[in-house]
Amino acid sequence: MASEVIHDPAMHRYELLVDGVQAGLADYQLRDGTIVFVHTEIDPKFRGQGLGSELARGTLNLVRAESETRVVAQCEFIDQFITDNPEYRSLLNR
């Protein structure tokens, strides 16, 4: 099973692809120099495989690599992921 997280700026989302099929997404809004994550979901066919964490990790890694934008985690899943993975907390204070 090959997976990757890609950024689709036109749709304001990051997508998790598993073997080329969209398995999940993290929707965001840009507001005053911040990226606000508002919704994250994994397709029901792919749940229970740890892909939510893979999506969150890949998404936050891309945000870190692509910009200096501060992250606001309105989405409960992204918020909890950052709480559980302190290496991403610096994204909240950029």
Side-chain angles (χ1 to χ4, degrees), residues 12 41 45 61 65:
H12 293 133
E41 72 178 70
K45 296 182 292 195
N61 285 340

Side-chain angles (χ1 to χ4, degrees), residues 56-74:
R57 181 175 294 105
T59 294
L60 295 171
N61 285 340
L62 284 174
V63 169
R64 181 180 283 152
E66 293 175 344
S67 72
E68 290 296 318
T69 307
R70 184 171 71 89
V71 168
V72 174
Q74 268 186 352

Side-chain angles (χ1 to χ4, degrees), residues 1-2 14 40 44 52 55 61 73 75 87 94:
M1 175 172 76
Y14 289 84
T40 302
L55 171 59
N61 285 340
C75 167
E87 64 271 25
R94 293 173 131 189

